Amino acid sequence: RGIEKIDIQSSDDIILEDAQNTSNDEQSDDCMEESVKLVHKFFEGKNQMKEIATASDVDIEEKLLKLFNFIDKKPNVVKMLKELEAFDYFTFIHSFNVTVLTTIMGTKLGWDEKKLLEAGLAAMLHDIGKLDIPIEILNKEEKLTSEEFDLIKQHTRFGFERLIMEPNIPYEVALAALLHHEALDGGGYPLGVKGNKITDVAKLLAVVDKFEAITGERPYRAKTIPPDEALEFLYKMSYSVIDGDIVNLFRKSMVFY
């Protein structure tokens, strides 16, 4: 059965249980149970709705459950995600929402199961480097200083450095975390690479990450931006900063209310 409507999570939703003083096996069991609840609750539409996306020709719920089962077999990833949830719940929910959008779009792009799982894992972990940014800077309500903004931009490097040390995380996942803020014209960060030097997964993450970041709840922003305005913002960056073909497919694949 295809999924006709998807509710994007708000920050009021499920919190992963505290993993302190539990073994890796217990953490893994907890994570799978909570992940399944998270996915089911997501599709039940019981949470405050922010935007709706149609994906009637694919079983996104099944793909997400398969992804979280894949993650459940990686206790080190479970540990990182629990740490992220405890550190900054806004970033954790952002990562989940980006994962849903990545799964939808990866399916639309015709990616096979292996690439979809790697893309989903990359989406869940793309901001893991923010664990190394002081929370008072990450969620600062006032305008950031140039030094603070430069530090926040380092989260891509920090994430790559964390992930590359993990033996069961594919290199492509670490690379996506490193490159998801790069730009086609070379004006992104942290490396300033351009065009085809940015991986397919990183190009997709660049689009859905920006969309979710502009429309999602943030402690430093009083109001969210409507999806149609966010799409206009993406259009202005198409083919120069982000992949215009992905933006066009994103628009065709999503229906927002």
Side-chain angles (χ1 to χ4, degrees), residues 10-249:
S10 74
S11 60
D12 298 325
D13 302 317
I14 291 181
I15 301 175
L16 293 181
E17 293 177 359
D18 185 4
Q20 261 188 331
N21 303 319
T22 60
S23 69
N24 282 343
D25 286 344
E26 288 171 327
Q27 286 186 31
S28 182
D29 289 344
D30 287 347
C31 182
M32 187 55 190
E33 181 181 346
E34 293 299 327
S35 296
V36 169
K37 279 199 283 184
L38 188 70
V39 173
H40 285 316
K41 190 168 185 177
F42 185 95
F43 284 94
E44 285 169 4
K46 292 181 179 176
N47 306 303
Q48 181 180 355
M49 185 172 61
K50 188 179 64 171
E51 65 250 5
I52 301 173
T54 64
S56 58
D57 58 333
V58 290
D59 193 347
I60 301 301
E61 183 173 10
E62 182 179 330
K63 290 177 188 296
L64 283 168
L65 291 172
K66 186 173 289 188
L67 169 64
F68 283 109
N69 185 58
F70 175 67
I71 290 173
D72 181 58
K73 294 178 171 62
K74 299 177 182 292
N76 53 331
V77 175
V78 172
K79 183 178 179 181
M80 281 189 284
L81 290 175
K82 286 178 178 289
E83 187 180 354
L84 180 64
E85 184 274 332
F87 177 71
D88 183 25
Y89 192 56
F90 285 96
T91 298
F92 175 78
I93 285 296
H94 164 72
S95 298
F96 180 81
N97 289 339
V98 168
T99 300
V100 173
L101 295 174
T102 296
T103 302
I104 294 171
M105 290 302 299
T107 301
K108 294 286 186 181
L109 288 164
W111 290 355
D112 61 24
E113 182 176 303
K114 179 177 181 292
K115 190 165 183 176
L116 270 178
L117 288 174
E118 287 184 355
L121 181 59
M124 279 303 297
L125 295 172
H126 77 284
D127 273 346
I128 202 69
K130 288 184 176 178
L131 285 170
D132 298 308
I133 308 293
I135 193 66
E136 62 271 16
I137 293 178
L138 196 60
N139 290 332
K140 184 178 176 181
E141 294 185 6
E142 300 82 16
K143 183 178 179 180
L144 295 171
T145 66
S146 58
E147 291 81 11
E148 289 169 338
F149 185 54
D150 285 342
L151 177 59
I152 284 181
K153 290 197 292 186
Q154 290 301 308
H155 79 275
T156 54
R157 287 184 184 273
F158 296 154
F160 177 78
E161 289 165 3
R162 277 176 173 263
L163 298 176
I164 202 67
M165 298 300 293
E166 300 293 337
N168 61 349
I169 293 180
Y171 178 72
E172 291 76 11
V173 171
L175 201 56
L178 178 68
L179 300 177
H180 73 277
H181 280 292
E182 297 290 354
L184 296 181
D185 61 7
Y189 63 87
L191 304 177
V193 297
K194 60 173 69 174
N196 290 333
K197 297 204 174 205
I198 306 170
T199 66
D200 290 345
V201 173
K203 285 179 181 176
L204 176 54
L205 284 178
V207 173
V208 298
D209 175 57
K210 283 179 175 59
F211 178 84
E212 209 289 326
I214 335 180
T215 59
E217 294 180 5
R218 293 297 182 275
Y220 48 78
R221 186 169 59 215
K223 293 195 309 181
T224 59
I225 297 173
D228 57 338
E229 291 182 24
L231 277 175
E232 277 301 312
F233 181 74
L234 295 182
Y235 278 137
K236 290 176 182 176
M237 293 189 290
S238 292
Y239 299 107
S240 58
V241 177
I242 54 179
D243 191 306
D245 293 338
I246 292 177
V247 173
N248 288 330
L249 181 60

